Coordinates of all heavy atoms in Angstrom, one line a residue:
R74 N 5.5 1.3 -29.8 CA 4.6 0.6 -30.6 C 5.0 0.9 -32.0 O 5.3 2.0 -32.5 CB 3.1 1.3 -30.4 CG 2.6 1.1 -29.0 CD 1.2 1.6 -28.9 NE 0.8 1.6 -27.5 CZ -0.3 2.1 -27.0 NH1 -1.1 2.7 -27.8 NH2 -0.7 1.9 -25.7
K75 N 4.9 -0.2 -32.9 CA 5.3 -0.2 -34.2 C 4.3 0.8 -35.0 O 3.1 0.9 -34.7 CB 5.1 -1.6 -34.8 CG 6.2 -2.5 -34.4 CD 6.1 -3.9 -35.1 CE 7.1 -4.9 -34.6 NZ 7.2 -6.2 -35.4
R76 N 4.9 1.6 -36.0 CA 4.3 2.5 -36.9 C 3.5 3.7 -36.1 O 2.9 4.5 -36.7 CB 3.1 1.8 -37.7 CG 3.8 0.7 -38.7 CD 2.7 0.2 -39.6 NE 1.7 -0.5 -38.9 CZ 1.8 -1.8 -38.6 NH1 3.0 -2.5 -38.9 NH2 0.9 -2.5 -37.9
L77 N 3.8 3.8 -34.8 CA 3.2 4.8 -33.9 C 4.3 5.7 -33.3 O 4.3 6.9 -33.4 CB 2.2 4.3 -33.0 CG 1.3 5.3 -32.1 CD1 0.6 6.2 -33.2 CD2 0.3 4.6 -31.2
G78 N 5.1 4.9 -32.6 CA 6.2 5.7 -31.8 C 6.3 5.3 -30.4 O 5.8 4.1 -30.1
T79 N 6.9 6.1 -29.5 CA 7.0 5.7 -28.2 C 5.9 6.5 -27.4 O 5.9 7.7 -27.4 CB 8.4 6.1 -27.6 OG1 9.4 5.5 -28.4 CG2 8.6 5.8 -26.2
I80 N 5.2 5.6 -26.6 CA 3.9 6.2 -25.8 C 4.4 6.4 -24.3 O 5.0 5.5 -23.8 CB 2.8 5.3 -26.0 CG1 2.5 4.9 -27.3 CG2 1.5 5.9 -25.2 CD1 2.1 6.2 -28.2
V81 N 3.8 7.5 -23.8 CA 4.2 7.6 -22.4 C 3.1 7.0 -21.5 O 2.0 6.9 -21.7 CB 4.1 9.3 -22.0 CG1 4.1 9.5 -20.5 CG2 5.1 9.9 -22.8
K82 N 3.7 6.1 -20.6 CA 2.9 5.4 -19.7 C 3.1 6.0 -18.2 O 3.8 6.9 -18.0 CB 3.2 3.9 -19.7 CG 3.0 3.2 -21.0 CD 3.5 1.8 -21.0 CE 2.8 0.9 -19.9 NZ 3.2 -0.5 -19.9
R83 N 2.3 5.4 -17.3 CA 2.5 5.9 -15.9 C 2.7 4.7 -15.1 O 1.9 3.9 -14.9 CB 1.2 6.6 -15.4 CG 1.4 7.4 -14.2 CD 2.4 8.5 -14.3 NE 1.9 9.4 -15.4 CZ 0.9 10.3 -15.3 NH1 0.3 10.5 -14.2 NH2 0.7 11.2 -16.3
N84 N 4.0 4.4 -14.7 CA 4.3 3.3 -13.9 C 3.9 3.5 -12.5 O 4.2 4.3 -11.8 CB 5.9 3.2 -13.8 CG 6.4 1.9 -13.4 OD1 5.6 0.8 -13.4 ND2 7.5 1.7 -12.9
K85 N 2.9 2.5 -12.1 CA 2.2 2.8 -10.8 C 3.1 2.2 -9.7 O 3.9 1.3 -9.9 CB 1.0 1.9 -10.7 CG -0.2 2.5 -11.6 CD -1.5 1.8 -11.4 CE -2.6 2.5 -12.1 NZ -4.0 1.8 -11.8
I86 N 3.0 3.0 -8.5 CA 3.7 2.6 -7.3 C 3.0 1.5 -6.6 O 1.8 1.7 -6.2 CB 4.0 3.7 -6.4 CG1 4.8 4.8 -7.3 CG2 4.8 3.3 -5.2 CD1 4.9 6.1 -6.6
T87 N 3.5 0.3 -6.4 CA 2.8 -0.7 -5.7 C 3.0 -0.6 -4.3 O 4.0 -0.7 -3.5 CB 3.4 -2.1 -6.1 OG1 3.3 -2.3 -7.5 CG2 2.7 -3.3 -5.4
Q88 N 1.9 -0.2 -3.6 CA 1.8 0.1 -2.1 C 1.6 -1.1 -1.3 O 0.7 -2.0 -1.7 CB 0.8 1.1 -1.7 CG 0.8 2.5 -2.5 CD 2.0 3.3 -2.1 OE1 2.6 3.0 -1.1 NE2 2.2 4.4 -2.8
E89 N 2.4 -1.5 -0.4 CA 2.3 -2.6 0.5 C 1.7 -2.3 1.8 O 1.7 -3.3 2.6 CB 3.7 -3.3 0.5 CG 4.3 -3.7 -0.8 CD 5.6 -4.3 -0.7 OE1 5.7 -5.5 0.0 OE2 6.6 -3.7 -1.2
F90 N 1.3 -1.2 2.1 CA 0.9 -0.8 3.5 C -0.5 -1.6 3.8 O -1.0 -1.5 4.9 CB 0.8 0.6 3.7 CG -0.5 1.3 3.4 CD1 -1.3 2.0 4.4 CD2 -1.1 1.2 2.0 CE1 -2.5 2.6 4.0 CE2 -2.4 1.9 1.8 CZ -3.0 2.5 2.8
T91 N -1.2 -2.2 2.9 CA -2.4 -3.0 3.2 C -2.1 -4.2 4.0 O -2.9 -4.8 4.6 CB -3.1 -3.3 1.9 OG1 -2.0 -4.0 1.0 CG2 -3.8 -2.2 1.3
H92 N -0.8 -4.7 4.0 CA -0.5 -5.8 4.7 C 0.9 -5.7 5.5 O 1.3 -6.7 6.1 CB -0.4 -7.2 3.9 CG 0.7 -7.1 2.8 ND1 0.6 -6.4 1.7 CD2 1.9 -7.7 2.8 CE1 1.8 -6.6 1.0 NE2 2.6 -7.4 1.7
V93 N 1.5 -4.6 5.5 CA 2.8 -4.4 6.2 C 2.6 -3.0 7.0 O 2.2 -2.0 6.5 CB 4.0 -4.2 5.2 CG1 5.2 -3.9 6.0 CG2 4.1 -5.6 4.4
I94 N 3.1 -3.1 8.2 CA 3.1 -1.8 9.1 C 4.4 -1.2 9.0 O 5.4 -1.7 9.5 CB 2.7 -2.2 10.5 CG1 1.3 -2.8 10.7 CG2 2.8 -1.0 11.4 CD1 0.9 -3.3 12.0
Q95 N 4.5 -0.1 8.3 CA 5.8 0.6 8.1 C 5.4 2.0 7.7 O 4.4 2.3 7.2 CB 6.6 0.0 7.1 CG 6.2 -0.2 5.7 CD 7.1 -0.8 4.8 OE1 8.1 -1.2 5.2 NE2 6.7 -1.1 3.5
S96 N 6.4 2.9 7.9 CA 6.1 4.3 7.4 C 6.2 4.4 6.0 O 6.8 3.6 5.3 CB 7.2 5.2 8.2 OG 8.6 4.9 7.5
Y97 N 5.6 5.6 5.6 CA 5.6 5.9 4.1 C 7.0 6.0 3.6 O 7.5 5.5 2.4 CB 4.8 7.2 3.8 CG 4.8 7.6 2.4 CD1 3.9 7.0 1.4 CD2 5.6 8.5 1.9 CE1 3.9 7.5 0.3 CE2 5.6 9.0 0.5 CZ 4.7 8.4 -0.2 OH 4.7 8.8 -1.5
N98 N 7.9 6.7 4.4 CA 9.2 7.0 3.9 C 10.0 5.7 3.7 O 10.7 5.4 2.9 CB 10.0 7.9 4.9 CG 9.6 9.4 4.9 OD1 8.8 9.7 3.9 ND2 10.0 10.2 5.6
Q99 N 9.9 4.7 4.8 CA 10.5 3.5 4.8 C 10.0 2.6 3.5 O 10.9 2.0 2.9 CB 10.2 2.7 6.1 CG 10.9 1.3 6.1 CD 10.5 0.6 7.3 OE1 9.9 1.0 8.2 NE2 11.0 -0.7 7.5
E100 N 8.7 2.6 3.2 CA 8.2 1.9 2.1 C 8.7 2.4 0.8 O 9.3 1.7 0.0 CB 6.7 1.9 2.0 CG 6.2 1.1 1.1 CD 4.6 0.9 1.0 OE1 4.0 1.5 1.9 OE2 4.1 0.3 0.1
M101 N 8.8 3.8 0.6 CA 9.4 4.3 -0.6 C 11.0 4.0 -0.7 O 11.5 3.8 -1.8 CB 9.1 5.8 -0.7 CG 7.5 6.1 -0.8 SD 6.8 5.4 -2.3 CE 5.9 4.2 -1.3
D102 N 11.5 4.2 0.3 CA 12.9 3.9 0.4 C 13.2 2.5 0.0 O 14.3 2.2 -0.7 CB 13.6 4.2 1.8 CG 15.1 4.0 1.9 OD1 15.7 4.8 1.1 OD2 15.6 3.2 2.6
N103 N 12.4 1.6 0.4 CA 12.7 0.2 0.1 C 12.5 -0.1 -1.5 O 13.1 -1.0 -2.0 CB 11.7 -0.8 0.9 CG 12.0 -0.9 2.3 OD1 13.2 -0.5 2.7 ND2 11.0 -1.2 3.2
K104 N 11.7 0.8 -2.1 CA 11.5 0.7 -3.5 C 12.5 1.5 -4.2 O 12.5 1.6 -5.5 CB 10.1 1.1 -3.8 CG 8.9 0.3 -3.1 CD 7.7 0.9 -3.4 CE 6.5 0.2 -2.7 NZ 6.5 -1.3 -2.9
G105 N 13.5 2.1 -3.6 CA 14.4 2.9 -4.3 C 14.0 4.3 -4.8 O 14.4 4.9 -5.7
L106 N 12.8 4.8 -4.1 CA 12.1 6.0 -4.6 C 12.4 7.1 -3.5 O 12.5 6.8 -2.4 CB 10.7 5.7 -4.8 CG 10.2 4.7 -5.8 CD1 8.7 4.5 -5.8 CD2 10.6 5.1 -7.2
K107 N 12.4 8.4 -4.0 CA 12.7 9.5 -3.1 C 11.4 10.0 -2.6 O 10.5 10.5 -3.4 CB 13.4 10.6 -3.9 CG 13.7 11.8 -3.0 CD 14.5 12.9 -3.9 CE 14.7 14.1 -3.1 NZ 15.4 15.2 -3.7
A108 N 11.1 9.9 -1.3 CA 9.9 10.4 -0.7 C 10.1 11.7 -0.2 O 11.1 12.1 0.5 CB 9.5 9.3 0.4
I109 N 9.1 12.7 -0.4 CA 9.1 14.0 0.2 C 7.8 14.2 0.9 O 6.7 13.8 0.4 CB 9.3 15.0 -0.9 CG1 10.7 14.8 -1.5 CG2 9.2 16.4 -0.4 CD1 10.9 15.7 -2.9
T110 N 7.7 14.8 2.0 CA 6.6 15.1 2.8 C 6.4 16.7 3.0 O 7.4 17.2 3.4 CB 6.5 14.4 4.2 OG1 6.5 13.0 3.9 CG2 5.3 14.7 4.9
K111 N 5.2 17.1 2.7 CA 4.8 18.6 3.0 C 3.7 18.6 4.1 O 2.7 17.9 3.9 CB 4.4 19.2 1.8 CG 4.1 20.7 2.0 CD 3.5 21.3 0.6 CE 3.2 22.7 0.9 NZ 2.7 23.4 -0.4
V112 N 4.1 19.3 5.1 CA 3.0 19.5 6.3 C 2.1 20.4 5.8 O 2.5 21.7 5.7 CB 3.6 19.6 7.5 CG1 2.6 20.0 8.6 CG2 4.5 18.5 8.0
I113 N 0.9 20.2 5.5 CA -0.2 21.2 5.2 C -0.7 21.9 6.4 O -0.8 23.2 6.5 CB -1.3 20.5 4.4 CG1 -0.9 19.7 3.3 CG2 -2.4 21.5 4.0 CD1 -0.2 20.5 2.3
S114 N -0.9 21.1 7.5 CA -1.3 21.8 8.7 C -1.1 20.9 10.0 O -1.0 19.7 9.7 CB -2.8 22.3 8.8 OG -3.7 21.0 8.6
F115 N -1.0 21.4 11.1 CA -0.7 20.7 12.4 C -1.3 21.3 13.5 O -0.9 22.3 14.0 CB 0.7 20.4 12.5 CG 1.0 19.3 13.5 CD1 0.2 18.5 14.1 CD2 2.4 19.0 14.0 CE1 0.4 17.6 15.0 CE2 2.7 18.0 14.8 CZ 1.8 17.3 15.3
D116 N -2.6 20.9 13.9 CA -3.4 21.6 15.0 C -3.8 20.8 16.0 O -3.8 19.5 16.0 CB -4.5 22.3 14.3 CG -4.2 23.2 13.2 OD1 -3.4 24.1 13.4 OD2 -4.5 22.9 12.0
K117 N -4.1 21.4 17.2 CA -4.8 20.7 18.3 C -6.2 21.0 18.2 O -6.6 22.2 18.2 CB -4.2 21.1 19.7 CG -4.7 20.5 20.9 CD -4.0 20.9 22.1 CE -4.6 20.3 23.4 NZ -3.8 20.8 24.6
I118 N -7.1 20.1 18.2 CA -8.6 20.3 18.0 C -9.4 19.5 19.0 O -8.9 18.4 19.5 CB -9.0 20.1 16.5 CG1 -8.8 18.6 16.3 CG2 -8.3 20.8 15.5 CD1 -9.6 18.1 15.0
N119 N -10.7 19.7 19.0 CA -11.6 18.9 19.7 C -12.1 18.0 18.7 O -12.7 18.3 17.7 CB -12.8 19.7 20.3 CG -12.3 20.7 21.3 OD1 -11.6 20.5 22.2 ND2 -12.9 22.0 21.3
P120 N -12.2 16.6 19.2 CA -12.6 15.6 18.2 C -14.1 15.6 17.8 O -14.9 15.9 18.7 CB -12.2 14.3 18.9 CG -12.2 14.7 20.3 CD -11.8 16.1 20.4

């Protein structure tokens, strides 16, 4: 911006899973982004 400088923006990730069935990793890979997954918990429960 003139007379102000360079402003930090946040480039949003356009998610397509609303109309395409694919994994998160596949979608991020298609966008050239590095996807990382952390498993918080994995349990067997009564529904």
Side-chain angles (χ1 to χ4, degrees):
R74 298 181 186 174
K75 290 182 178 180
R76 296 187 295 275
L77 185 58
T79 303
I80 306 295
V81 176
K82 296 176 63 179
R83 195 65 57 77
N84 195 24
K85 290 191 176 185
I86 300 169
T87 302
Q88 305 284 351
E89 300 180 62
F90 91 122
T91 48
H92 68 279
V93 176
I94 299 176
Q95 60 183 353
S96 70
Y97 178 82
N98 286 354
Q99 181 183 357
E100 183 172 0
M101 294 303 103
D102 185 61
N103 290 342
K104 299 178 187 302
L106 300 172
K107 181 182 178 182
I109 298 172
T110 297
K111 179 181 178 181
V112 175
I113 305 300
S114 62
F115 196 3
D116 304 298
K117 183 178 178 179
I118 66 168
N119 295 321

